[in-house]
Amino acid sequence: MQGRYELLIENEEAMVALGGYLAEALGGKGIVFLHGDLGAGKTTFSRGVLRYLGHQGAVKSPTYTLVEPYEVNGHKVYHFDLYRLADPEELEFIGGRDYFNEVALCLVEWPSRGQGELPEADLDITFDYDLPGRKATIIAGTEAGKKALNKIRSLQEGG
Ligand code: ADP
Ligand code: MG
């Protein structure tokens, strides 16, 4: 079982699809870190995750609030964007730990801003520009993450 998967995501639609594969593969729960520069596709990917689970409305980066909670078809999803976190310890004030302890799917944009205060991720994804598309590098950090990674690979390669 390999713990790393690198792939090209040609357009926005493929990014949304990849988010759906991740949601399916993780069974709607786990911790996922999303690295990448502004505009790399982290929020687009998150929208794909939420759409797959059944969320119909908009998905925006929760920049000022740091976290946006969703409850869709019995799944709890917490979408974080820690870009504006000045200090990792600020996570305490928004009750960061409580979110991660729940049976929930936590998607974390800019996890580097919360370094030292975040639990280990099941999957750690880095998006890079590979114009006109993007490149994704997915690394598994846990056993659950490894299983999910294999599933994502087979969903992605199965079309
Ligand atoms: P981030 O949250 O990383 O700042 P966004 O998800 O907001 O980035 O995406 C920024 C832009 O990149 C959006 O306009 C989106 O349509 C586009 N985009 C996302 N994924 C891809 C992709 N795989 N290929 C081309 N464009 C993409
Ligand atoms: Mg974003």
Side-chain angles (χ1 to χ4, degrees):
M1 212 191 288
Q2 276 192 329
R4 188 177 202 274
Y5 179 36
E6 206 177 296
L7 68 154
L8 183 67
I9 312 154
E10 290 182 12
N11 50 43
E12 178 169 352
E13 197 188 352
M15 188 67 108
V16 171
L18 181 65
Y21 299 156
L22 172 124
E24 181 176 351
L26 277 175
K29 65 176 200 297
I31 299 174
V32 181
F33 286 176
L34 303 172
H35 303 273
D37 289 340
L38 284 174
K42 304 179 294 297
T43 300
T44 305
F45 176 87
S46 301
R47 174 156 47 89
V49 172
L50 282 153
R51 282 276 185 283
Y52 175 86
L53 296 174
H55 175 72
Q56 308 279 341
V59 175
K60 287 177 287 175
S61 232
T63 303
Y64 290 95
T65 50
L66 297 176
V67 60
E68 185 71 37
Y70 297 86
E71 183 135 16
V72 246
N73 297 321
H75 293 283
K76 285 183 179 172
V77 181
Y78 297 108
H79 180 201
F80 293 82
D81 185 331
L82 305 182
Y83 187 68
R84 287 182 195 277
L85 198 68
D87 184 312
E89 286 184 13
E90 270 180 37
L91 269 177
E92 295 261 8
F93 300 116
I94 62 161
R97 293 222 176 97
D98 299 337
Y99 293 111
F100 294 109
N101 287 337
E102 280 190 56
V103 179
L105 178 56
C106 292
L107 304 169
V108 188
E109 298 189 34
W110 294 98
S112 55
R113 299 282 204 268
Q115 210 161 39
E117 292 292 326
L118 295 173
E120 185 175 30
D122 295 296
L123 292 170
D124 185 280
I125 309 180
T126 301
F127 297 109
D128 291 294
Y129 284 91
D130 192 339
L131 296 172
R134 305 288 188 270
K135 190 185 82 174
T137 306
I138 311 178
I139 294 170
T142 64
E143 278 307 311
K146 271 189 195 167
K147 286 201 185 111
L149 182 57
N150 275 350
K151 175 92 177 161
I152 292 167
R153 193 197 310 262
S154 70
L155 288 166
Q156 176 77 19
E157 288 169 11

